[in-house]
Amino acid sequence: MRVVVVGAGIIGACVARAAIVAGCDVVVLDRDQAGSGTTSRGEGNVLVSDKPPGPELDLALRSRRRWDDLGDELGREALELESKGGLVVATSVPVLGTLARFADEQRRCGVIVEDVARPVEVEPLITPGAVGGQWYPQDAQVQPVLATVAVLADAARRGAEYRPGTDVLSARSDTRGAIKGVVTTSGEVIDADAVVNCAGTWGGEVGRRLGGPVPVLPRKGFVLVTEPLPPSVRHKVYSADYVANVAASSEGLETSCVVEATRAGTILIGASRERVGFDASMSPSTVQRLAAQAVALFPFLAGVQLLRVYRGFRPYCPDHQPVIGPDPRVPGLFHACGHEGAGIGLAPATGDLIAAHLTGRDPLAVAGVDPAPFLPERLLGTDMEAS
Ligand SMILES: Cc1cc2nc3c(=O)[nH]c(=O)nc-3n(C[C@H](O)[C@H](O)[C@H](O)COP(=O)(O)OP(=O)(O)OC[C@H]3O[C@@H](n4cnc5c(N)ncnc54)[C@H](O)[C@@H]3O)c2cc1C
């Protein structure tokens, strides 16, 4: 089976590798370069800590194990995969209770989580106002662009063809309406038995071009990057309200910071969440809010220089679950997009699910995750403007 993967972000790379390992011939197309989309705008957190029980947590747990497999096969250095663990802290006793109840529910689903009575013993520079928290040893980090390039390079070594600078314009279909390839903006036809839409935030538009629109919308976020520092922040550290913001559906600005160090010594402070379409403008007040929250968590950051600020657009579906699976309207078309703020973490298991769908194997048996909650049919008829 010949498969065209549209989009070479982290999702397209993991889909391409899983498909070729499953025995498909694979061509990966990107209108730009590998990792140049939202993948280059994320922080690279591979989190289980922020997910309540449900399908996304199941996918995250599976994906977390698969990141370790990729680390073993491709080299942890090549991905900058660090199993550094995450600390979620509360600054008031009622919030601490809420965190503990959330952790209990997660434990029942297989998440490893430990109560932390004194956060300062885990993170020596944290605010003395942190009254307690939860420790999640499964939380990890990758460098998203390095990981994308490494996974794609491995797919290429196994025979996948990668074609940057190739913008997909439409589908080539047979008389039954089944997709038989894609047509690029330069008029080239690329034949295929199946096409996978891995276009991230542009998945709605690519789906439309291929005859199967899906409601994927942008959720803007800023990330702050400090000057490089000597070792100071040891783990991923975030405040309890982060979980509420991730799940929130309001259109307004939401900020709750996650603070973490990178291999280069810089500290990443992310991230805001805002529904403003593709408005790319800078927002000094948002940056100020994130910075203030980071200083509240780690007071020493008040004396540290900000080096730069970057922003990106998370791809989200109205029900905040990714869309992964065959399009019931267009035989041969598959979607793997809409992973919102968790696409880096969820990419390997997404690749496994799509590979199973492509090759007609049972996704639950192959990927160990129930595919039903992610199937495209749940979104049919959903308003593209809805959020
Ligand atoms: C501020 C911020 C922080 C984040 N932090 C994290 C985090 O810590 N952890 C985490 O897991 N996730 C995080 N995310 C989310 C994560 O970055 C995304 O979920 C993920 O990168 C989506 O990957 P993707 O491959 O689906 O999309 P993309 O990386 O956007 O890839 C899609 C590709 O499709 C290509 N494309 C589009 N249209 C066409 C076309 N017509 N023809 C050919 N190619 C096309 C694009 O060029 C692009 O390269 C964050 C996002 C933001 C914005």
Side-chain angles (χ1 to χ4, degrees):
M1 168 183 266
R2 184 173 152 91
V3 177
V4 162
V5 174
V6 183
I10 191 67
I11 300 294
C14 287
V15 164
R17 184 177 185 275
I20 205 158
V21 167
C24 303
D25 289 333
V26 176
V27 185
V28 184
L29 313 177
D30 199 291
R31 65 180 176 189
D32 198 335
Q33 296 283 334
S36 61
T38 308
T39 293
S40 60
R41 308 309 175 102
E43 297 145 271
N45 294 320
V46 178
L47 299 185
V48 297
S49 56
D50 63 341
K51 296 176 181 59
E56 198 183 347
L57 178 59
D58 297 343
L59 194 65
L61 283 164
R62 161 78 186 190
S63 226
R64 174 65 189 89
R65 290 193 293 277
R66 298 290 286 122
W67 270 117
D68 273 342
D69 295 343
L70 284 170
D72 291 344
E73 292 173 42
L74 309 182
R76 296 176 79 89
E77 281 301 314
L79 313 170
E80 287 196 4
L81 172 60
E82 285 186 82
S83 307
K84 56 166 55 174
L87 177 68
V88 187
V89 294
T91 50
S92 75
V93 173
V95 172
L96 194 57
T98 308
L99 265 189
R101 283 189 294 280
F102 186 68
D104 276 343
E105 291 169 13
Q106 291 175 310
R107 263 185 210 106
R108 286 194 277 277
C109 303
V111 176
I112 301 168
V113 46
E114 295 160 23
D115 295 340
V116 174
R118 289 178 37 80
V120 71
E121 287 172 3
V122 183
E123 283 290 344
L125 299 180
I126 204 162
T127 172
V131 294
Q134 299 290 336
W135 166 244
Y136 290 85
Q138 289 159 304
D139 280 358
Q141 184 171 344
V142 295
Q143 208 293 347
V145 176
L146 285 183
T148 301
V149 169
V151 173
L152 196 58
D154 188 61
R157 267 194 297 279
R158 295 167 185 266
E161 191 186 340
Y162 164 51
R163 296 179 51 179
T166 307
D167 192 341
V168 168
L169 180 64
S170 60
R172 194 175 81 72
S173 307
D174 67 11
T175 49
R176 290 184 309 118
I179 205 162
K180 287 291 159 196
V182 297
V183 183
T184 71
T185 47
S186 63
E188 187 186 358
V189 176
I190 302 171
D191 292 327
D193 305 298
V195 177
V196 191
N197 170 14
C198 300
T201 313
W202 302 273
E205 169 61 13
V206 166
R208 193 187 60 72
R209 291 183 183 192
L210 298 176
V214 278
V216 180
L217 297 162
R219 196 175 184 188
K220 183 174 168 182
F222 285 102
V223 176
L224 282 50
V225 188
T226 72
E227 62 185 323
L229 301 172
S232 45
V233 178
R234 298 175 175 179
H235 312 284
K236 297 183 171 303
V237 184
Y238 61 90
S239 66
D241 33 322
Y242 176 80
V243 176
N245 273 0
V246 169
S249 277
S250 79
E251 284 189 15
L253 172 68
E254 289 146 7
T255 57
S256 55
C257 71
V258 180
V259 179
E260 63 197 291
T262 66
R263 195 70 68 84
T266 57
I267 306 279
L268 298 184
I269 300 164
S272 55
R273 292 170 187 266
E274 206 175 356
R275 299 204 172 106
V276 288
F278 282 103
D279 172 5
S281 57
M282 170 53 92
S283 167
S285 59
T286 304
V287 171
Q288 265 172 0
R289 243 165 94 163
L290 277 172
Q293 288 174 347
V295 169
L297 210 49
F298 283 101
F300 82 93
L301 287 173
V304 168
Q305 292 288 324
L306 260 194
L307 208 62
R308 67 191 178 97
V309 175
Y310 65 88
R311 54 107 187 93
F313 297 98
R314 302 175 186 86
Y316 80 95
C317 293
D319 63 0
H320 302 283
Q321 304 286 329
V323 53
I324 307 169
D327 190 306
R329 300 159 295 185
V330 185
L333 176 61
F334 297 76
H335 301 285
C337 48
H339 292 74
E340 199 157 346
I344 312 299
L346 301 177
T350 298
D352 293 343
L353 278 178
I354 288 288
H357 284 301
L358 285 169
T359 53
R361 293 172 300 155
D362 176 8
L364 181 58
V366 172
V369 176
D370 180 4
F374 307 111
L375 293 175
E377 39 260 53
R378 74 182 201 277
L379 298 170
L380 298 191
T382 307
D383 180 0
M384 289 290 286
E385 302 304 319
S387 61

